[in-house]
Amino acid sequence: MAGCLGGGGGDDDVQFLTDYYNDAWQSVWDDLEPQFEDETDIPMSIEEAGMSGSQESRLSQLIQAGNPPEANTSTFDQVADIWETDQLETVNDVVSSIEEVNGEVNTNAFLGEDDNFYQIPHGLYVSNFQYRADVYDDLGLDEPETFSDVLENAEAINDAGGQWEDMRGYGLAGAPTGKSQDEMLVLLASAGISGIGLRWQDPDARDELEIWWPEETVIEVLEYVDELSQYSPDPTNIGWASSLSSWVQGNYGQCYHLNAWPVGVTAQTAEAEDSDALRSVAENTEIIAYPMQDGVDPSENWLSSPAPDGYHVFANSERPGDTKEWFEWLYADSMERTVSFYETDPGRFLPTYSDVLGSDAFQNQDIFQAHPHLLEKLQYVQDEIWGNHYDSVDEANTSSPVSLYMQRQWFYGEMINRVVTDSMTPQEAYDWGYGQLEEAFAEAQDTFG
């Protein structure tokens, strides 16, 4: 049964861990799983594994038990150490088959080495800033360009009263793992430095990384999040899933997020509940590039390549060949079937295949007919934010196994957590985080050479 807790590949099923799982995804899996089994006699077991943090724990549990699943969904950084120890299968043939139907993979992000793919890409995550345009209009607020502007707008929303009485100014992710880590890395990049604290020793040679995490800048970012927390619901309760439900409920007027995900979830909920009020929330959710730290020009933004999310096939599982057949069957059948996977989580992903976003099948989805604003925002995210606010600093592209390993270290988000819970000052959090950075970088160098 889709969603059941399995024991890994040892059950003779193709065990697939995924966070592509909500009511719409379950309906898709419930439909496609028996079709695939009937056509191929390959048994599937699909398990909802949760988002950042919980999925890694489940995957680690299975691997340590010597019973890895056949596949999972994640960004590449979540499996970098697994890839380095030769536990992932190459998937070049599968990707080639999918490209014949959906267009070429449209990212240069790290998906493997030596022309080998170790991920079957599904969608890209572009980081940005989202706000409620109706709130801004009512309060006479301008789109923020700097961290100070965000704080001023947050204070105005907090103090507004009236119809916005129950709305807070900003939703800050302060849970120790998950969204807080991602938000911290983007804030540091928006301050003009490397989020992960590394840069090339020689930007031309690009063969060795070194620690570079300017104390003054990192502390200023931590002071910013500390101030933001004063205008947020309890940050320690805000992660990826809760941030989406909070946006639908109108709990705050500004936040950091990915692509047009809050728009899509709100639009999907509005149609499910036939709610004009939620339709209005979806239509009034605006998306811009995340504002820069005061005094830092957008051309100095250290955002590099959007993170591709997708599927990884485990070499030490029992049925890797059957698993590849499953993914080829899913994505290389038709553009219409491929599009159906984006429709389940509208706004969450930018398609990783070049022909999908502009296809009639994608643009004619029912959710876009009801919410043309959602399609408009996805295109804006691709063309404007990814197109003009990423890759501004050439040396910011530290794509390598070491940098991937560092991106999955939870201490970045824990620094936010320690500041907003008052267990550390920004200075203390920087000192602690720098020590964690040194340890993790040493581990990465030992692991990846």
Side-chain angles (χ1 to χ4, degrees):
M1 292 178 60
C4 68
L5 287 178
D11 292 332
D12 295 325
D13 294 349
V14 170
Q15 184 76 11
F16 170 35
L17 307 182
T18 182
D19 64 348
Y20 298 177
Y21 216 93
N22 54 26
D23 289 344
W25 271 112
Q26 182 168 353
S27 178
V28 168
W29 297 137
D30 285 348
D31 180 46
L32 293 177
E33 181 182 347
Q35 288 184 43
F36 177 73
E37 291 177 346
D38 288 344
E39 292 181 25
T40 64
D41 291 326
I42 297 172
M44 295 294 303
S45 179
I46 302 174
E47 176 182 335
E48 180 184 11
M51 294 188 182
S52 293
S54 60
Q55 182 170 181
E56 285 96 332
S57 296
R58 176 62 174 152
L59 180 59
S60 176
Q61 175 192 23
L62 293 173
I63 291 175
Q64 289 178 8
N67 198 19
E70 270 65 31
N72 79 321
T73 55
S74 70
T75 51
F76 204 102
D77 54 281
Q78 291 173 266
V79 294
D81 52 343
I82 296 171
W83 165 78
E84 173 62 19
T85 52
D86 298 323
Q87 296 181 65
L88 294 184
E89 284 272 314
T90 56
V91 290
N92 293 44
D93 290 347
V94 179
V95 173
S96 294
S97 296
I98 295 172
E99 288 181 316
E100 290 179 9
V101 174
N102 302 296
E104 294 183 355
V105 171
N106 60 5
T107 177
N108 293 321
F110 191 96
L111 296 172
E113 288 185 321
D114 301 326
D115 296 323
N116 283 322
F117 280 87
Y118 288 88
Q119 183 191 89
I120 302 165
H122 171 71
L124 294 165
Y125 285 130
V126 176
S127 300
N128 54 58
F129 179 88
Q130 312 209 5
Y131 70 89
R132 284 279 297 273
D134 51 345
V135 178
Y136 270 39
D137 289 344
D138 186 55
L139 301 180
L141 306 179
D142 295 326
E143 280 191 351
E145 297 180 357
T146 67
F147 288 1
S148 290
D149 294 339
V150 175
L151 287 168
E152 289 177 10
N153 288 352
E155 182 178 12
I157 295 168
N158 248 46
D159 297 343
Q163 63 176 316
W164 315 120
E165 178 73 32
D166 297 325
M167 178 178 283
R168 302 300 304 276
Y170 190 95
L172 176 69
T177 59
K179 188 172 185 282
S180 60
Q181 169 193 308
D182 206 53
E183 190 157 355
M184 181 65 173
L185 297 183
V186 170
L187 293 178
L188 291 168
S190 301
I193 66 172
S194 167
I196 60 173
L198 301 179
R199 67 179 177 184
W200 297 111
Q201 286 189 7
D202 182 342
D204 295 322
R206 296 181 181 238
D207 56 5
E208 190 170 355
L209 291 162
E210 65 180 2
I211 291 178
W212 178 62
W213 229 28
E215 180 175 356
E216 181 179 355
T217 303
V218 177
I219 289 175
E220 287 176 353
V221 169
L222 290 169
E223 290 172 342
Y224 169 63
V225 300
D226 195 23
E227 290 185 76
L228 275 179
S229 70
Q230 309 308 309
Y231 306 112
S232 175
D234 181 4
T236 62
N237 290 331
I238 297 178
W240 289 117
S242 59
S243 70
L244 294 168
S245 60
S246 291
W247 195 260
V248 172
Q249 294 162 16
N251 289 347
Y252 36 79
Q254 306 177 113
C255 72
Y256 160 78
H257 227 285
L258 303 170
N259 294 328
W261 203 355
V263 186
V265 169
T266 307
Q268 195 174 47
T269 307
E271 297 312 308
E273 299 180 3
D274 192 20
S275 168
D276 286 338
L278 289 181
R279 292 185 182 103
S280 178
V281 173
E283 292 165 5
N284 277 287
T285 300
E286 287 296 327
I287 303 172
I288 60 174
Y290 201 96
M292 302 295 293
Q293 185 185 42
D294 298 62
V296 180
D297 190 87
S299 65
E300 301 173 90
N301 196 318
W302 266 62
L303 286 173
S304 181
S305 180
D309 201 86
Y311 309 97
H312 306 99
V313 179
F314 293 89
N316 296 331
S317 62
E318 292 191 356
R319 307 181 72 148
D322 290 343
T323 309
K324 293 179 185 179
E325 186 171 344
W326 160 248
F327 290 118
E328 187 168 345
W329 184 85
L330 287 179
Y331 283 85
D333 177 77
S334 66
M335 177 69 76
E336 287 71 23
R337 178 178 286 173
T338 299
V339 163
S340 71
F341 304 134
Y342 300 102
E343 190 171 9
T344 56
D345 257 342
R348 177 178 177 180
F349 297 106
L350 276 178
T352 322
Y353 302 96
S354 57
D355 294 344
V356 175
L357 186 63
S359 69
D360 290 340
F362 189 88
Q363 300 203 1
N364 291 334
Q365 294 175 57
D366 290 344
I367 193 68
F368 293 143
Q369 299 305 304
H371 294 267
H373 174 80
L374 174 56
L375 177 60
E376 172 192 325
K377 291 307 164 188
L378 272 178
Q379 292 175 319
Y380 180 86
V381 165
Q382 175 176 274
D383 299 340
E384 174 62 23
I385 299 180
W386 179 15
N388 295 324
H389 293 272
Y390 277 71
D391 298 318
S392 298
V393 178
D394 184 57
E395 57 266 34
N397 181 4
T398 57
S399 179
S400 66
V402 168
S403 63
L404 285 169
Y405 182 86
M406 296 301 293
Q407 288 170 20
R408 192 43 48 173
Q409 301 303 306
W410 296 121
F411 71 85
Y412 302 105
E414 289 176 16
M415 292 169 70
I416 290 181
N417 179 265
R418 291 176 182 225
V419 168
V420 302
T421 57
D422 294 324
S423 61
M424 284 186 176
T425 66
Q427 177 69 62
E428 290 169 340
Y430 171 78
D431 293 338
W432 175 82
Y434 196 91
Q436 297 295 305
L437 172 62
E438 289 181 313
E439 290 181 18
F441 184 45
E443 292 171 1
Q445 290 174 307
D446 288 343
T447 301
F448 299 103

